[in-house]
Amino acid sequence: MDDLRDKYISLIAGATAEATLEDLRVQAIGKKGEISLKMRELGKMTPEQRQEAGPKLNALKDEITSALAAKKEALADAALDERLRGEWLDVTLPVRARRQGTIHPISQVTEEVTAIFADMGFAVAEGPQVESDWYNFDALNIPGHHPARAEMDTFYTHRGEGDERPPHVLRTHTSPVQIRTMQEQGAPIRIIAPGRVYRADYDMTHTPMFHQVEGLAIDKDISMANLKWVLEEFVKAFFEVDDVELRFRASHFPFTEPSAEVDIRCSWEGGTLKVGEGDDWLEILGSGMVHPKVLEASNIDPTEWQGFAFGMGIDRIAMLKYGIPDLRAFFDSDLRWLRHYGFAALDVPTLRGGLSR
Ligand code: DAH
């Protein structure tokens, strides 16, 4: 029995894999194991012999069982230690250049736009992306039957069965922030409202989620001339050039009167987009003088106050400024694209320090 004990204890101690331990268990105390066979022999012994051998065999079986369990645990610990050594990571190390994230062109351009308008005295306002249809449409002088509702390719939310209230919408533009800001702050006002908007549309220059920045200035003597100056100043600062050619086109929006769309001269030659040259025009914004009905809906007296508003596509001006031909790539999360078009995380755009360089 001592020989058996020495043999198995040393085999267990020398095992280096869990599978070996299992083999040893079967060999020693499995159904046909050496120790199990010895236990079966107890039946053939005299009572005296059995009284002596029985407890010894049981003790031996217990000793081997615990030796197996202890070794199994030791092997698991060693495996874990080994793995931890391999996966070790020092979180206090400085970032490696290649691993550094970049600022997405949309975030960059939003910062640039904000810096320029902040310099002209515009504060930043926000509103919800899931909006009531009153804020998104009615308050902006777009009543239920108005064709502008159909044109916008609106995403509607569902109401529960039997719930007759009008559904909420994913805001189709940032214009509802005009209403919310006027209600909350009253006149005078000078704000921009950058943010996400949604329309069911998809091609080179349209994605179902995109970005706009709304502008709103309300005071007693604001005119279309102020709008034109502000937009020209903005465009020059944004494109970081002395001259950019803008085209104001008479247009129609339910929430402004008169209304103008603004295009910027550009070329698409060779698939690259260039601003300020060429024979193409890219529409970048809609604008106008805020409609009296919109002021009324926001509890502002249109006989006392007036102002201008505009809504500009952030993605559009990002494509133009940074020569990015396909809007869809903005939202593909392709790391190579993000590294190529992204901006250094610590270069915050300011008018003093430069917007993009
Ligand atoms: N909300 C319009 C759109 O998404 C853009 C717009 C046009 C906004 C004229 C304005 C505006 O504030 O005055 O197409």
Side-chain angles (χ1 to χ4, degrees), residues 152 172-175 178 199 210 212 214-215 253 255-256 259-260 283 285-290 308-312:
M152 287 242 192
T172 57
H173 49 184
T174 43
S175 302
Q178 287 187 33
R199 290 182 205 175
F210 59 107
Q212 288 187 335
E214 196 78 10
F253 298 103
F255 32 90
T256 44
S259 306
E283 184 196 320
L285 65 90
S287 62
M289 297 300 290
V290 179
F308 67 73
F310 61 85
M312 182 160 47

Side-chain angles (χ1 to χ4, degrees), residues 24 68 109 112 126 146 152 175 177 208 220 266 270 273 290-291 301 303 316 321 330:
L24 288 172
L68 283 167
V109 165
E112 293 179 17
E126 287 183 316
H146 199 284
M152 287 242 192
S175 302
V177 186
K220 301 220 161 163
C266 67
L273 200 48
V290 179
H291 197 291
D301 182 357
T303 62
R316 288 285 178 92
K321 181 166 181 179
F330 275 72

Side-chain angles (χ1 to χ4, degrees), residues 2 26 29 160 181 203 255 308 319 322:
D2 283 344
V26 173
I29 55 178
T181 312
D203 61 33
F255 32 90
F308 67 73
M319 291 169 77
Y322 295 111

